[in-house]
């Protein structure tokens, strides 16, 4: 069987009714996934170790801190607001140019091309914690050993090789956008630009060639590692431990203290209860930087039709909940 042909056909053959298989597994895809895993998931870990080890030799200054923070913000909002709330869930409307900008920012995070990410994430919501959810921590046996295996799988190892969703079925809207398809096809160069841009910035700020190296390490490797730990926590921690307020058919949880570090995404149980909502925290006093950016964009005229459930819609769902920490 020609696996590459089968994979490419997922992008080109329309399948609105989902008559074809919803996901495929193949050695060809697994090879691609392994390469991606080594480049963008394993390498940043060693890059981060190298960055810290290099501090006594080449130091750590404002330039390194600056590129780390700015690139973390760009790629973090790219994933949280762009990939997730805007493109996967269509929780607000904006122009094609803004969509493209967010898709580029999200691509630099190194967490997959925009079409693949949207399709995988929609499948996660469809199958959450059931067969077909490729990163559930709940499907690996009972007891401590099963939970531990599930945690490691959901946080990290699932990315080494996994089923790939039928993008024509899961992301037909994204496939219709020429710009987003172009960005998806150029995912690798854009992800590498996420290393080149901070390298150039750091070299320019420090007026030194060493800046090229520290820019790659801090603005590329450490930034990618830190953001990944946050986003992966949604699949692992936020499907294992934390608070539940609603009846959902999955094991999603809220972990409020994580919210400032992952752009408000860790109100993950709220998100599973109200997947169309742009506001994950659901309460004004809770930290949700992703939503705050959408509010700012709305004020600036860059976002419209921002979806947020009404208070009574939230309250009705809460009162139907049988137990706060129910286990399904
Ligand atoms: Zn989830
Ligand atoms: Zn989601």
């Amino acid at each position: 069987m020609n696996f590459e042909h089968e994979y490419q056909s997922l992008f080109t053959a329309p399948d609105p009714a989902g008559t074809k298989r919803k996901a495929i597994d193949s050695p060809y895809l697994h090879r691609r996934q392994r390469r991606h895993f080594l480049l963008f998931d394993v390498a940043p870990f060693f890059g981060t170790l190298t960055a810290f080890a290099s501090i006594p030799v080449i130091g750590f200054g404002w330039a390194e801190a600056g590129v780390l923070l700015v690139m973390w913000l760009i790629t973090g909002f790219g994933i949280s607001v762009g990939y997730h709330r805007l493109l996967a869930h269509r929780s607000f409307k904006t122009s094609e140019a803004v969509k493209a900008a967010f898709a580029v920012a999200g691509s630099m995070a190194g967490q997959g091309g925009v079409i693949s990410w949207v399709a995988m994430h929609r499948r996660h919501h469809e199958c959450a914690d059931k067969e077909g959810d490729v990163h559930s921590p709940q499907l690996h046996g009972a007891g401590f050993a099963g939970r531990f295996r599930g945690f490691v799988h959901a946080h990290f190892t699932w990315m080494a090789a996994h089923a790939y969703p039928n993008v024509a079925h899961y992301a037909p809207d994204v496939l219709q956008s020429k710009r987003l398809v172009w960005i998806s096809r150029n995912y690798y160069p854009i992800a590498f630009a996420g290393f080149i841009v901070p390298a150039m910035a750091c070299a320019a700020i420090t007026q030194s060639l060493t800046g090229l190296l520290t820019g790659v390490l801090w603005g590329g490797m450490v930034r990618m590692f830190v953001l990944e730990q946050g986003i992966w926590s949604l699949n692992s921690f936020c499907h294992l431990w934390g608070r539940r307020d609603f009846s959902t058919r999955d094991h999603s949880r809220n972990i409020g203290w994580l919210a400032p570090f992952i752009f408000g995404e860790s109100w993950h149980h709220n998100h599973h209860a109200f997947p169309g909502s742009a506001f994950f925290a659901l309460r004004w006093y809770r930290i949700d930087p992703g939503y705050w950016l959408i509010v700012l964009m709305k004020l600036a005229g860059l976002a419209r039709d921002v979806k947020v459930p009404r208070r009574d819609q939230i309250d009705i769902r809460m009162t139907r909940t049988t137990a706060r920490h129910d286990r399904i």
Side-chain angles (χ1 to χ4, degrees), residues 77-78 81-83 86 92 97-107 293 297:
F77 280 124
V81 176
Y83 269 32
L86 172 63
F92 65 96
V98 171
K99 278 186 191 174
F102 272 113
V104 168
S107 300
L293 180 65
M297 288 171 61

Side-chain angles (χ1 to χ4, degrees), residues 194-210:
F195 292 91
I196 295 164
V197 169
M200 308 272 278
C202 221
I205 297 166
T206 59
Q207 296 283 304
S208 73
L209 281 177
T210 318

Side-chain angles (χ1 to χ4, degrees), residues 196-243:
I196 295 164
V197 169
M200 308 272 278
C202 221
I205 297 166
T206 59
Q207 296 283 304
S208 73
L209 281 177
T210 318
L212 287 175
L213 176 65
T214 57
V216 166
L217 287 176
W218 292 97
M221 294 292 186
V222 180
R223 172 268 304 175
M224 195 172 270
F225 176 78
V226 170
L227 182 67
E228 282 174 344
Q229 294 309 314
I231 299 300
W232 298 347
S233 297
L234 303 174
N235 301 335
S236 56
F237 290 108
C238 290
H239 275 263
L240 280 170
W241 299 289
R243 186 186 161 102

